[in-house]
Amino acid sequence: MTQRRTLALLRLAFAVLTIVAIVVQYAHRANPSAFYTANFFSYFTNESNLFATALLLYGAYHGLRPGGWSSTEAYSTEAYHSKADGAQAYDLLRGAAVIYMTITGAVFVLLLSGSASSVPWANAVVHYVMPIVIVLDWLIDPPRARIVWSRTWRWLIFPVVYFVYTLVRGAITGWYPYPFFNVTSKGYARVLADGVGILIAMIVVGAATRRAGNRLRARTERG
């Protein structure tokens, strides 16, 4: 079995595991209401895990189909360059997933690890397993094109939109997904400060993600 196929199968396996974990967590509550459903999918954890899962499935598809590209075998092949735009966009999205999942895991460990979980194994998948998997996926299969600073700002679009959405929806419904975003108990000044702090952490993680990806890409090309 080739390295490309092995990586594709691993991506598929972890994607399926994450989908099952999210479905189990959602279904744990009998007869979920529309409000519960909206709340469930308003957690950054669930959104970032679904985003990362979609990328794993996409990577698995290209790794398993004949002629598909995979950076473990396609740094200078005609197959990669003929699909350069799609492949490079995929790598940029993978970089975003690394940031979101790293922050998901870090915030949970540092701020939320004491929270009760209705389904412990599923909670472990989305907060511990997947962040590690996505980081390792980036390191094992680095981007095929150099990630430039002028494109990395796009990694912050979703977190900023999510933060605004959370505050606006919270003001309307009175419900906030995380205690550090709860304006009712913390106040806007504290919540904004926490939001800026998380954004700065994302910028730092993004810089490390870009640097690691580019260095590993260059090393693979030299090899």
Side-chain angles (χ1 to χ4, degrees), residues 34-125:
F35 186 67
Y36 168 79
T37 299
N39 288 352
F40 183 83
F41 289 105
S42 292
Y43 283 99
F44 188 82
T45 294
N46 292 332
E47 294 179 2
S48 58
N49 269 272
L50 289 171
F51 176 66
T53 296
L55 293 175
L56 289 181
L57 289 173
Y58 188 73
Y61 166 73
H62 278 283
L64 291 174
R65 77 181 182 90
W69 42 259
S70 174
S71 61
T72 54
E73 295 183 352
Y75 283 90
S76 59
T77 63
E78 182 178 350
Y80 171 70
H81 290 293
S82 67
K83 304 175 179 65
D85 290 341
Q88 291 175 23
Y90 170 62
D91 283 334
L92 195 65
L93 290 173
R94 288 178 61 219
V98 172
I99 298 172
Y100 306 158
M101 292 306 301
T102 299
I103 294 300
T104 292
V107 168
F108 182 78
V109 170
L110 296 175
L111 302 176
L112 302 170
S113 58
S115 303
S117 174
S118 55
V119 189
W121 74 264
N123 180 71
V125 169

Side-chain angles (χ1 to χ4, degrees), residues 5-19 53 55-61 64 133 137:
R5 184 174 178 81
T6 300
L7 179 61
L9 290 174
L10 286 172
R11 283 172 168 165
L12 179 60
F14 281 110
V16 171
L17 174 65
T18 305
I19 291 172
T53 296
L55 293 175
L56 289 181
L57 289 173
Y58 188 73
Y61 166 73
L64 291 174
V133 166
D137 183 76

Side-chain angles (χ1 to χ4, degrees), residues 44 95-96 98-100 102-103 147-149 151-157 159-160 194-212:
F44 188 82
V98 172
I99 298 172
Y100 306 158
T102 299
I103 294 300
I147 303 293
V148 296
W149 277 115
R151 303 185 73 187
T152 57
W153 66 268
R154 302 176 192 180
W155 289 343
L156 302 178
I157 294 177
V160 171
D194 288 344
V196 170
I198 293 175
L199 185 64
I200 292 173
M202 285 188 169
I203 293 173
V204 173
V205 173
T209 298
R210 173 186 175 274
R211 180 176 176 81

